[in-house]
Amino acid sequence: MGAVPGLPAAAWEALEGSGRPRRFHAGEVVFHQGDPCEALFLLREGRVAVRTVSPDGQEVTVGLLAAPDVFGEVGLIRADHHHTATVVALSPVAVVSIAGSQFTGLRLSHPELTEWLLLTVTARLERTMSLLAEALYLDADRRLARRLLDCRRSLGIAGDEPLPLTQEDLAAMAGVTRPTANRLLRRLEEAGIVQLGRRHITILDPEALQAAS
């Protein structure tokens, strides 16, 4: 598995070699919301869902990741940080966990890791600000269409492979209510753009969905 974008191959190999390899079956939790954030995770194989608890107590998906990617990076900056979400394997997953102390040592021999970490955290922040701007200025239809496309890209999905999303998940991502998400998805389904299933959504016409976003 190649390195994540922006991280030199030599640095990625050093990270892989210094960490602890771990495997998870589909449905297993990598870590829970509220757990101490003590390590960086390199996602080498598979796909994971990032989930959090909504104000009404329901667990909803707020992000999807596919290899190669990383998560848990904020814990490398704040020693007292706790995970703000739960990460669950969607498929058989292989990760390498690197403790904060190990990462600090590696930065001495690979200074480029410091810049990469800052760029990674900055990119996450910029993404959050972009989503906030969309919530303020884009209508619900376009936000929902964009989140569907985001998920498709994040997982590297092509063709008619379904997205492992419920309507509750998508509503949370798009910042709309569950009834609103249902109404908008039914409209897309009637237009032949998506197909709704039990705990998944299939994009049938990505071009039309792109136009709607």
Side-chain angles (χ1 to χ4, degrees), residues 126-206:
E126 289 175 343
R127 175 61 177 162
T128 299
M129 296 302 294
S130 175
L131 292 174
L132 176 59
E134 287 186 7
L136 291 173
Y137 300 113
L138 289 185
D139 58 37
D141 302 66
R142 294 181 66 191
R143 295 203 308 274
L144 184 135
R146 289 188 180 196
R147 296 298 76 78
L148 283 170
L149 291 169
D150 284 347
C151 291
R152 191 172 190 266
R153 282 191 293 267
S154 295
L155 295 182
I157 285 178
D160 58 358
E161 180 183 352
L163 295 172
L165 289 174
T166 65
Q167 294 187 32
E168 289 84 355
D169 294 333
L170 189 58
M173 290 181 176
V176 300
T177 65
R178 166 69 169 75
T180 297
N182 178 265
R183 174 173 54 81
L184 298 177
L185 284 168
R186 292 296 178 189
R187 187 184 301 168
L188 291 173
E189 186 174 45
E190 289 170 2
I193 297 174
V194 305
Q195 183 178 51
L196 305 181
R198 191 170 185 273
R199 302 193 66 80
H200 68 262
I201 301 168
T202 304
I203 299 175
L204 301 177
D205 191 339

Side-chain angles (χ1 to χ4, degrees), residues 17-97:
S18 67
R20 174 190 170 199
R22 301 175 65 187
R23 287 191 173 271
F24 297 87
H25 298 294
E28 281 194 279
V29 173
V30 180
F31 55 71
H32 288 91
Q33 183 174 346
D35 287 348
C37 189
E38 301 171 336
L40 171 72
F41 290 83
L42 309 183
L43 181 55
R44 298 184 67 249
E45 298 174 15
R47 297 167 173 173
V48 299
V50 182
R51 295 174 177 162
T52 189
V53 178
S54 65
D56 61 0
Q58 302 228 356
E59 188 177 62
V60 293
T61 299
V62 293
L64 301 170
L65 301 174
D69 210 329
V70 299
F71 51 93
E73 68 280 353
V74 176
L76 301 177
I77 299 174
R78 287 184 52 188
D80 62 342
H81 186 66
H82 287 70
H83 292 297
T84 57
T86 295
V87 172
V88 181
L90 293 175
S91 64
V93 161
V95 301
V96 175
S97 62

